[in-house]
């Protein structure tokens, strides 16, 4: 067997191993147990490591995805604390000052950490969706799995963190900031594949906000998220498979409508609850932030999904019943079905609230539909506007990129400063230990004196 | 009766439960002894002497005896370890470790002896339970016993290897030859646990003393977890990582003691038995692991014998308390003891240290397998001795047996 054949076999084995790990990981993340979720995230991290260690550019890929163990660690922490408190029977919903109260908060924060970091909602690894994953042709699609895993963690273990109002509010703030940043980034990036990855991040953040708001039942929230994020994930998959989703006028139109419908369905309960919900939940500032994110995401979803010209002289037989279009129909149906379930369970906002909640999505989609360069160029009366709109669009994209970059740079600087402070605090302790035998005796003397002094100080 | 039927299995397990804790610690010590003897076979002829075998047997006996050991055993164990290390005059690292141990343990034992003498002087009896009863009468000045009691515990603290005394564990595991390192560390740590347990036996009868001890050991455990976790995350040498993990295992014993529930002989046997087997495997596999200096291809052990490597890493994972391993049950038991005692701060620090241990174990796992290198580009150099592989499997099988018979059933 030649070296090339051996290498290709090995690459196939690595791809399959990572795929199996990822699939198993997602099954476990969906399981109700925290230990299963932690193991699931560990397997997803292991899959990325498996792919990265075999990649051509492994020196870059390995450190790039090393952070994936952090969310898994956070989930292990939550699982461990849960096991300790649950098994000692110390109760539920305890006061903050008690041990179970503190543990419940730490547990909630750990679950939140795991979910939010995967959803790019923490400033530690926020820009991961900018880059492709560590696996050859499928690489650009892989990062979509991470916010999806984050959402599933938050959704599955919602009871642990949504019952604590302070934790829930903190989560809501982070998720809405992430939704805005993701929409900004999706708008600012020129490659459509990168924009789709960021749109998926935005969908997950809005989905997380929906879980935090508890506006609709859990199964409806899952279906709403599945429609929005799944639609963008399928679009990205189609994009990597020769832009199948937008080749031809009908598929193109179908996908535009489907993506917009899914996003509008997801945004409806979020915005109506944030804007017009109960007084303890409604927050105009949050509602405005969410509305801005939804409008921009709707604009990008619809406006950037341009029709690809069909260059093939003969369409392949298997393309006659394209599976990807079935995905579009599913995406189209998911949102309305989920809203019907929610309505059946008591989600009944007034007509005016609903209209107001749907306005950002409608505005974004409508502006993209009529304001796109192609649309303008197709209308003789507005054709003169096209160059000006294009120039403004370029400037707006540059501004969006600059805004996102400056925010991420600020966050990084902040994290670096905190890291340096922590290092400065630890440094004297490290300097204490030089490995010299004499210092061991000094340690002993110090501890002995401390042991004598501490009881006297009590 | 079918030997493998469910009833027969239950019968055997019940018989095992009823057996003395010495069976557990003895079996684990025997496992460590076999591992060490197998590794001794790798040494040069001058080292492979009956004296070395006798030293290992004596160390194994000290580990096996730990659940019922009296405080007087600890100086003997420390002396034995120091002598065994100092015996090889040609090995400067052995001499250095021996000197360091002598330097720190001699004074610690002397201070503790002074504390014990003070307590005996104050109460008029050397028997621990009687001492608490006498002190409970309140006839002695508080200053006297509150000075003597912490001093009496100092030797146990040093021997357990909790920070700031975690250095000796890492030093011994890095500097001492594989056949002796794990046995020496486990002997000393087990002696430390036995020292503290026997010193605190029946302290429930003297609430003021229990409170003082609980506070002091709580502070010691806190420092041990924080320093251990911080150290673990910056260490690059696998032997030192294993040493710090062993030190954290000492800290979980300290935490259990700080919770006000001195472990009984069975718990002590399970702890020391696990430490013996896990450290035996982890210290052996650490010799084949690279010092981290960036992504590199996997080491020969993991490229030639991946399953044997995994068996070695299983021991390391158990030491780190990776969920599913027997070691995780020990971490959980300590955490539950702290939760029951309402020690919130200590529980959270233990959790943080556990996460650091998990991180170190996963990091070690990844570094062991390294990056994938094309077959032609990196030659598969380096032999992995059969004895070392055998030692790794003995430790891993021993751990599985310990888990199945004791820890996973708790």
């Amino acid at each position: 067997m030649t070296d090339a054949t051996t290498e290709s076999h090995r690459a196939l084995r690595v791809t399959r191993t990572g795929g199996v790990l990822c699939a198993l990981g997602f099954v476990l993340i969906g399981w109700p147990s925290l230990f299963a979720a932690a193991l699931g995230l560990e397997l997803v991290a292991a899959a990325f490591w498996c792919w990265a260690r075999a990649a051509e550019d492994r020196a870059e890929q390995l450190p790039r995805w090393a952070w994936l163990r952090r969310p898994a660690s956070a989930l292990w922490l939550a699982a461990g604390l849960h096991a300790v408190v649950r098994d000692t029977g110390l109760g539920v919903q305890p006061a903050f000052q008690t041990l179970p109260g503190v543990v419940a908060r730490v547990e909630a924060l750990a679950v939140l950490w795991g979910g939010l970091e995967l959803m790019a909602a923490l400033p530690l690894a926020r820009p991961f969706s900018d880059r492709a994953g560590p696996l050859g042709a499928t690489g650009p699609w892989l990062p979509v799995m991470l916010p999806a895993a984050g959402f599933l963690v938050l959704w599955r273990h919602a009871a642990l963190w949504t019952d604590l109002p302070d934790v829930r509010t903190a989560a809501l703030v982070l998720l809405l900031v992430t939704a805005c940043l993701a929409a900004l980034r999706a708008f600012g990036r020129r490659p459509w594949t990168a924009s789709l990855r960021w749109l998926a991040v935005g969908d997950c953040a809005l989905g997380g906000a929906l879980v935090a708001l508890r506006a609709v039942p859990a199964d409806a929230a899952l279906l709403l998220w599945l429609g929005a994020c799944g639609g963008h994930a399928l679009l990205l998959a189609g994009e990597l498979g020769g832009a199948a989703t937008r080749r031809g006028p009908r598929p193109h139109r179908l996908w535009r409508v489907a993506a917009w419908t899914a996003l509008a369905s997801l945004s409806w309960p979020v915005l109506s609850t944030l804007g017009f919900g109960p007084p303890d939940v409604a927050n105009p500032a949050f509602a405005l932030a969410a509305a801005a994110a939804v409008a921009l995401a709707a604009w990008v979803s619809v406006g950037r999904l341009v029709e690809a010209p069909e260059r093939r002289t003969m369409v392949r037989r298997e393309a006659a019943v394209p599976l990807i279009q079935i995905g579009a129909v599913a995406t189209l149906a998911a949102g309305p079905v989920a809203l019907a379930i929610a309505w059946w369970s008591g989600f009944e906002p007034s007509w005016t609230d609903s209209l107001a909640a749907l306005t950002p999505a409608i505005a974004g989609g409508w502006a993209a539909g009529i304001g796109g360069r192609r649309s303008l160029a197709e209308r003789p009366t507005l054709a003169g506007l096209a160059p000006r709109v294009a120039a403004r669009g370029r400037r707006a994209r540059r501004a969006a990129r600059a805004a996102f970059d400056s925010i991420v740079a600020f966050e990084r600087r902040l994290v670096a400063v905190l890291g340096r402070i922590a290092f400065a605090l630890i440094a004297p302790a490290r300097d204490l230990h030089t490995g010299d035998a004499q210092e061991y005796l000094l340690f002993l003397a110090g501890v002995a004196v401390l042991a004598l002094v501490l009881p006297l100080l009590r | 009766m079918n030997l493998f039927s469910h009833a027969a299995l239950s019968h055997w397990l019940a018989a095992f439960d009823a057996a003395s804790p010495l069976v557990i610690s003895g079996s684990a010590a025997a496992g460590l002894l076999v591992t060490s003897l197998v590794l001794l076979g790798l040494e040069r002829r001058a080292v492979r002497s009956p004296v070395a075998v006798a030293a290992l047997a004596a160390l194994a006996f000290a580990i096996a005896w730990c659940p019922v050991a009296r405080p007087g055993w600890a100086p003997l164990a420390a002396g034995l370890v120091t002598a065994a290390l100092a015996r090889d005059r040609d090995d400067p690292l052995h001499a250095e470790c021996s000197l360091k141990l002598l330097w720190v343990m001699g004074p610690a034992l002397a201070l503790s002896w002074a504390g014990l003498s003070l307590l005996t002087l104050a109460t008029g009896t050397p028997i621990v339970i009687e001492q608490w009863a006498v002190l409970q009468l309140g006839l002695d000045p508080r200053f006297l016993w509150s000075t003597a009691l912490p001093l009496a515990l100092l030797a146990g603290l040093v021997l357990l290897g909790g920070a700031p005394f975690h250095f000796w564990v890492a030093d011994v595991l890095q500097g001492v030859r594989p056949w002796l390192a794990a046995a020496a560390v486990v002997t000393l740590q087990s002696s430390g646990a036995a020292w503290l347990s026997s010193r605190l036996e029946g302290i429930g009868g003297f609430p003021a003393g229990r409170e003082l001890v609980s506070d002091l050991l709580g502070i010691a455990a806190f420092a041990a977890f924080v320093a251990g976790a911080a150290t673990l995350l910056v260490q690059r040498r696998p032997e030192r990582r294993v040493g710090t993990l062993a030190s954290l295992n000492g800290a979980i014993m300290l935490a259990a003691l700080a919770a006000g529930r001195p472990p009984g002989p069975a718990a002590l046997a399970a702890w020391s038995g696990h430490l013996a087997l896990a450290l035996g495997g982890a210290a052996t596999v650490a010799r084949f692991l690279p010092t981290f200096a960036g992504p590199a291809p996997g080491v020969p052990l993991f490229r030639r014998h991946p399953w044997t490597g995994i068996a070695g890493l299983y021991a390391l994972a158990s030491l780190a308390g990776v969920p599913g391993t027997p070691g995780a049950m020990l971490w959980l038991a300590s955490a539950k003891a702290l939760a029951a005692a309402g020690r919130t701060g200590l529980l959270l620090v233990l959790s943080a240290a556990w996460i650091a241990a998990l991180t170190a174990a996963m990091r070690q796992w990844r570094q062991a397998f390294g990056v994938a290198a094309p077959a032609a580009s990196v030659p598969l150099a380096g032999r992995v001795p059969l004895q070392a592989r055998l030692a790794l499997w003995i430790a891993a099988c021993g751990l599985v047996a310990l888990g199945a018979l004791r820890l996973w059933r708790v």
Side-chain angles (χ1 to χ4, degrees):
Chain A
M1 201 182 285
T2 62
D3 280 353
T5 318
T6 314
E7 283 300 309
S8 78
H9 280 184
R10 202 186 60 167
L12 192 64
R13 206 172 56 234
V14 166
T15 307
R16 279 185 188 159
T17 307
V20 168
L21 286 174
C22 250
L24 203 57
F26 268 84
V27 169
L28 289 172
I29 289 168
W31 214 258
S33 150
L34 267 174
F35 271 108
L39 185 60
L41 286 188
E42 199 72 72
L43 290 181
V44 172
F48 271 74
W49 172 74
C50 197
W51 288 323
R53 71 188 279 272
E56 291 282 325
D57 54 345
R58 56 183 73 107
E60 283 177 30
Q61 294 287 359
L62 277 169
R64 186 183 294 168
W65 302 105
W67 65 271
L68 279 175
R69 272 225 68 257
R70 258 196 323 254
S73 295
L75 261 282
W76 283 124
L77 178 64
L81 288 173
H82 191 74
V84 169
V85 174
R86 180 200 59 202
D87 292 352
T88 46
L90 288 171
V92 291
Q93 294 296 331
F96 179 64
Q97 292 82 1
T98 60
L99 180 136
V102 174
V103 168
R105 271 154 186 81
V106 175
E107 195 183 323
L109 288 173
V111 169
L112 213 54
W113 182 296
L116 291 182
E117 186 157 24
L118 285 166
M119 291 162 77
L122 293 182
L124 298 168
R126 204 191 283 281
F128 70 81
S129 284
D130 267 341
R131 303 283 182 85
L135 188 63
T138 327
W141 188 84
L142 292 181
V144 172
M145 288 196 294
L146 302 179
F151 172 83
L152 284 176
V153 167
L154 292 189
W155 173 79
R156 174 51 83 185
H157 303 286
L160 291 175
W161 61 277
T162 51
D163 285 345
L164 304 167
D166 38 357
V167 175
R168 200 179 61 199
T169 309
L172 203 53
V173 171
L174 288 168
L175 286 166
L176 292 178
V177 167
T178 305
C180 291
L181 285 175
L184 206 62
R185 193 60 172 166
F187 175 71
R189 287 299 304 266
R190 181 176 283 276
W192 178 225
T193 49
S195 291
L196 280 171
R197 286 198 295 266
W198 280 104
L199 285 174
V201 171
D203 297 333
C204 292
L206 286 173
L210 187 59
V211 173
L213 290 169
R214 293 190 286 196
V216 294
D219 45 359
L222 180 69
L223 202 53
L224 284 169
W225 165 79
L226 205 59
C229 183
H232 284 133
L234 280 174
L235 272 173
L236 182 55
E239 200 62 24
L240 298 176
T245 49
R246 54 192 177 94
R247 212 168 277 289
R250 282 170 64 189
H252 167 241
R253 209 174 306 130
L254 179 63
W255 268 109
R256 269 182 140 188
V257 173
W260 181 86
T261 308
L263 183 61
S265 304
L266 176 63
S267 70
W268 186 359
V270 173
L271 291 174
S272 66
T273 311
L274 279 175
F276 317 101
D280 58 327
V281 180
N283 187 319
F286 290 0
L288 279 177
V294 168
L296 197 54
W299 193 93
V300 177
S301 275
V302 177
R304 298 280 289 280
L305 185 62
V306 292
E307 188 187 335
E310 180 59 80
R311 296 199 185 90
R312 292 173 293 193
T313 51
M314 185 182 288
V315 179
R316 282 181 297 205
R317 269 181 74 81
E318 61 267 27
V321 186
L323 284 173
I324 203 85
Q325 309 307 354
I326 296 173
V329 174
T331 303
L332 187 65
V337 169
L339 287 172
I341 294 171
W343 171 75
W344 193 260
S345 309
F347 173 69
E348 291 178 6
S350 68
W351 283 107
T352 48
D353 294 353
S354 298
L355 195 62
L358 282 171
T359 301
I362 293 170
W366 177 74
I370 66 150
R373 253 185 307 165
R374 290 171 69 90
S375 304
L376 290 175
E378 283 165 7
R379 295 170 197 199
T381 52
L382 300 173
L385 282 174
R388 282 163 60 190
V389 168
R392 293 219 172 145
R394 277 195 295 273
R395 274 201 294 277
R397 266 208 305 278
R398 268 202 301 274
R401 271 202 301 271
F404 181 88
D405 289 344
S406 56
I407 290 168
V408 169
F410 172 74
E411 286 176 346
R412 279 186 176 160
R413 208 165 298 143
L414 195 66
V415 171
V417 167
L418 291 175
R420 274 201 288 272
I421 289 171
F423 188 77
L425 291 174
I426 293 171
R430 288 187 71 191
D431 294 344
L432 267 178
H433 178 40
T434 57
D436 194 295
Q438 267 77 359
E439 92 181 19
Y440 297 171
L441 197 57
L442 288 177
F443 267 138
L444 184 66
V447 171
V449 169
L450 205 64
L452 292 177
V453 170
L454 279 177
L456 299 178
L457 293 177
R458 290 177 81 232
Chain B
M1 187 168 62
N2 181 4
L3 274 176
F4 298 101
S5 69
H6 186 263
L9 194 63
S10 302
H11 172 74
W12 282 111
L13 290 174
F16 187 81
D17 281 346
S20 156
L22 286 177
V23 175
I24 299 169
S25 59
S27 311
L32 181 62
L33 177 63
V34 174
T35 307
S36 302
L37 288 174
V38 167
L39 290 172
L40 184 62
L42 288 170
E43 298 297 325
R44 61 184 194 276
R45 188 174 289 275
V47 178
R48 280 183 280 147
S49 65
V51 179
V53 176
L56 283 177
L59 293 177
F61 179 72
I63 296 165
W65 200 248
C66 133
V68 291
R70 309 307 305 167
W73 279 89
L76 284 178
L80 182 64
V81 169
T82 314
L85 291 178
R87 189 171 164 273
D88 191 353
R89 278 173 293 182
D90 298 333
D91 195 330
L93 290 175
H94 272 213
E96 186 187 332
C97 288
S98 170
L99 183 69
K100 283 178 173 175
L101 285 182
L102 197 65
W103 200 237
V104 72
M105 281 176 191
L109 286 166
L111 283 168
S112 283
W113 220 258
L116 291 178
S117 302
L118 270 176
L119 277 174
T120 307
L121 203 65
T123 57
T125 172
I127 299 166
V128 178
I129 294 182
E130 289 178 4
Q131 285 181 345
W132 307 137
V134 173
L135 289 172
Q136 180 59 17
L137 294 173
L139 301 174
D140 298 288
R142 182 186 168 88
F143 174 77
L144 190 60
W145 65 260
S146 69
T147 306
L149 194 50
L151 281 182
L153 301 179
L154 197 59
L157 212 64
V158 175
L159 286 166
L160 261 182
F165 302 108
H166 58 303
F167 51 81
W168 72 257
V169 188
D171 282 353
V172 170
L173 286 174
Q174 187 187 351
V176 175
R177 301 289 302 158
W179 66 274
L180 184 56
V185 169
V186 177
T187 304
L188 292 176
Q189 285 194 290
S190 302
S191 303
W195 174 285
L196 289 174
S197 299
S198 58
R199 261 322 303 168
L200 299 177
E201 190 184 354
I203 198 168
F206 178 41
R210 187 182 59 188
E211 205 179 319
L212 173 71
V213 166
S214 181
D215 283 358
L216 285 176
L217 290 183
I219 292 170
F222 193 93
F225 283 129
V226 170
T231 308
L232 205 50
L233 294 177
V234 295
Q235 271 171 337
R236 285 164 178 261
R237 283 197 73 95
E239 299 95 331
R240 296 197 78 84
R241 272 184 195 160
V242 171
T244 310
L245 286 174
S247 153
L248 283 176
N249 273 262
I252 61 171
M253 174 54 74
L254 273 179
L257 289 162
R261 293 179 181 180
L268 207 54
W271 178 83
S272 65
H274 169 262
L275 189 66
L277 292 167
L279 199 58
T284 308
V285 79
R287 306 283 171 162
F288 296 96
L289 296 174
T291 300
F292 183 67
V299 288
L301 171 65
F302 287 85
R303 296 172 71 191
R304 285 181 188 272
H305 314 282
W307 289 108
T308 307
I310 288 170
L313 286 179
Y314 181 72
L316 191 140
S318 190
L319 207 57
V322 171
T325 58
M329 304 310 292
L330 294 170
W331 283 83
L332 187 62
S334 275
K336 281 182 179 174
L338 290 174
R343 305 291 298 261
T344 312
L346 206 47
L347 174 63
L348 293 180
V349 172
L350 179 145
S351 308
W354 179 60
I355 292 300
L358 287 190
T359 304
M362 295 309 297
R363 205 178 271 177
Q364 196 62 75
W365 184 282
R366 291 182 178 190
Q367 286 167 14
F369 280 94
V371 297
S377 67
V378 177
L380 197 55
R383 195 176 65 85
V384 183
L386 177 66
Q387 290 93 327
R389 282 183 276 147
L390 200 58
L392 292 175
W393 279 112
I394 291 168
C397 293
L399 277 172
V400 171
L402 182 67
L405 291 172
R406 170 66 65 179
L407 292 169
W408 288 327
R409 297 172 56 222
V410 176

